[in-house]
Amino acid sequence: MSTEMPRRSKLRSLWTEANSFQKVAAVLGVILLLAAIFAPLIAPFDPLKQSLISRLRPPIGFERYKEGFLLGSDELGRDVLTRTLFGLQLTLLLAVIGACIGLMIGGFLGMLAGLRRGFTEDVIMAGVDLQIAIPFTLIALLILSVFGTSLTVMICVLGTAGWEQYARIVRAEVRKLTSLPFIEAAKASGAAPFYIARRHVLPNIISPLVVQFTLSLSNIVILESTLSFLGLGVQPPTATLGSMVGYGRDYMPSAPWVVIAPALAILLLTYVVQILGDWLRDHVDVRLRDR
């Protein structure tokens, strides 16, 4: 009871302090997350089931609406709502995995560069500069064209997107923190570098990492959608939001609902991630909490 009450009071105060945009984003985030998790239970049809006699049927409320296809059907007679739910699930999963991989790679290399300095720092930052100099979309296109478009390759591509931003942020924060008196005192007391990094450095760099994670998450959603739009992402018949927009663009003049649903899901997902990331940043930053 003693631990549950403070948690409830913290959640209550967190919700009370939030503005209208943050509350709307929180509600939308819960809805999108639950929709992605429970897509197999919510979806009214099999996402791969085709019915050519039901192709390009409009959503409910329009003529030629077919019962059950609430958001209409696509060019192969598949339910748009079902495929949007499963596409949201896969797109969100790929984005989270990719962002986590980028965070681990970039965070580790940035911490190593900030603590070790010298030759190690020069090599790591040279890799960062090289990654920044070349547009990552071109790198992704090259990797996918050489190694194929399997799900494993796609995860690896998305995981290497944005690691250099984590590395730059962590390195800069570590260099700034290591010059402060409490870090110098920890070094003087004989604390190991790993202990200093875990105990003193990490709590003070959570805030910029949270912001970068949310930026990376939304960027990976856009990157995955772009690659799928170009036909180099997850291959059909598996649904992702980007592939639905890509394959549905030819039918926009006559059947815009094929594109509207997945495009709106991408828009809402990136909006929610950005707003909630900024909101979370204000509450995990140890420097802001003490003010």
Side-chain angles (χ1 to χ4, degrees), residues 94 97-98 101 136 139-161 220 223-224 227 232-235:
L94 290 174
I97 294 176
I101 293 174
F136 187 78
I139 299 176
L141 292 174
L142 175 62
I143 295 174
L144 291 172
S145 61
V146 172
F147 296 101
T149 55
S150 67
L151 192 59
T152 302
V153 175
M154 191 68 178
I155 291 174
C156 294
V157 169
L158 298 178
T160 55
I220 290 177
L223 175 63
E224 186 279 326
L227 295 174
L232 293 173
V234 179
Q235 294 301 296

Side-chain angles (χ1 to χ4, degrees), residues 14 30 32 53 75 79 106 119 124 132 140 152 154 172-174 188 209 214 228 234 245-246 251 277:
L14 186 64
V30 172
L32 290 174
I53 62 174
E75 70 279 6
D79 181 46
F119 177 75
I124 293 174
I132 295 175
T152 302
M154 191 68 178
E173 292 293 325
V174 170
L209 286 181
T214 57
S228 297
V234 179
V245 174
Y251 301 92

Side-chain angles (χ1 to χ4, degrees), residues 8-127:
R8 291 180 181 178
S9 61
K10 287 181 179 179
L11 290 175
R12 192 176 294 110
S13 64
L14 186 64
W15 179 260
T16 304
E17 295 172 4
N19 58 42
S20 300
F21 289 103
Q22 293 168 343
K23 291 180 179 179
V24 170
V27 173
L28 287 175
V30 172
I31 293 174
L32 290 174
L33 184 61
L34 292 177
I37 294 174
F38 297 105
L41 301 177
I42 301 173
F45 297 99
D46 184 336
L48 304 181
K49 184 179 179 180
Q50 301 179 13
S51 176
L52 294 181
I53 62 174
S54 303
R55 66 188 301 268
L56 299 178
R57 292 296 186 96
I60 186 172
F62 291 85
E63 291 185 26
R64 297 185 61 250
Y65 162 72
K66 184 172 182 179
E67 186 176 356
F69 292 84
L70 299 178
L71 296 183
S73 59
D74 65 6
E75 70 279 6
L76 295 177
R78 297 171 296 192
D79 181 46
V80 172
L81 174 59
T82 297
R83 289 182 63 79
T84 300
L85 290 173
F86 278 89
L88 174 65
Q89 183 185 64
L90 184 55
T91 297
L92 187 57
L93 180 63
L94 290 174
V96 171
I97 294 176
C100 289
I101 293 174
L103 172 61
M104 289 187 291
I105 295 174
F108 173 76
L109 293 177
M111 185 77 70
L112 190 63
L115 292 175
R116 295 296 297 270
R117 309 286 179 92
F119 177 75
T120 302
E121 182 182 24
D122 293 338
V123 171
I124 293 174
M125 298 314 297

